[in-house]
Amino acid sequence: MSVWLPSAPCTPRACIESKGSVTAVPRAVLRFVTVLVVVAAGAALTPVGKRIPARAVRWWCRTIVRSAGIQLRITGATTSTGGLLLVANHISWLDIPLLAAVRPARMLAKAEIRHWPVAGTLTAGSGALFIDRDRLRALPETVASIAGALRAGGAVAVFPEGSTWCGRAQGHFRRAVFQAALDAGVPVQPVGLHYLTDGTASTAPAFVGSDSLLTSVWRVVSTRGLVAEVEVGETIAPGSHPDRRSLAHAAQAGVTAQPQHQDHCTSVAQAPVKIRRTARRRPVSVASMRIIRPTRTTATARATSSPAADA
């Protein structure tokens, strides 16, 4: 069991709604096949690696999105050059090509993706940095790797929520990755990702809970009128915030500029935790009290609670 494993209360059954009209099946099948072909073409070029121009990578990523029948809108500031930490809210598998359409960057991905068919090979070949969420002790090493990539003048893209949400609510940004930007002395650029149908937030592209990747892809290609909005925020200059806590808050403020909807997932996330008592306590007198020394398990829990919360 992981000590630190970010999760969202969003589930396909509770959060994903089929809004808008559904496209014809033949068109949906064509979109589905086209997305697979475009992704496979990128996987075939993976060995070429860094020799592919950034402009070609942007075009390829935008092609993936448009092949799925999604209209793409990119607004806001321009991305800065040199070392840059790109941070965004996380909703869908589509978030990855959307960020790369803004600026190609090395992704910070969970270690499990290495074993995914096609996507794992593509992600690893792109130079992604992997984080093992089951090993809390590996977190400082991951932060150091990110800082090294930033010092080298590269861009690293991160989803600080650590988990996907349905798009109508968001989790809070974990602070650990922002330490890498502080250590490397590079700017942070927040990017807000939003999916719409008929001008309102759509949960169709969400990839949450027990949803499978193929199910999510099919839902996207069969939904008519999907729009992906990418709002690039102003860069947060290095040295403008003294610690990772304030830097994370500033970055999240840049991402959540649009008002969030109150729905099922927010009510679940904000619901008070109820403690169930399994036995009625007997009255204790002062004379019967005895000192209980902390066990090794208790000490370990205290030692890991602070880093886990800070991550």
Side-chain angles (χ1 to χ4, degrees), residues 121-141:
T121 302
L122 186 61
T123 304
S126 67
L129 301 167
F130 291 95
I131 179 171
D132 189 345
R133 301 188 299 176
D134 291 328
R135 293 179 58 229
L136 184 64
R137 293 181 179 179
L139 186 59
E141 182 181 346

Side-chain angles (χ1 to χ4, degrees), residues 9 165 168-171 260-274:
W165 288 66
R168 293 187 174 181
Q170 296 177 3
Q260 298 299 304
H261 297 270
Q262 294 294 327
D263 61 349
H264 173 80
C265 56
T266 53
S267 62
V268 171
Q270 296 172 359
V273 177
K274 296 183 179 179

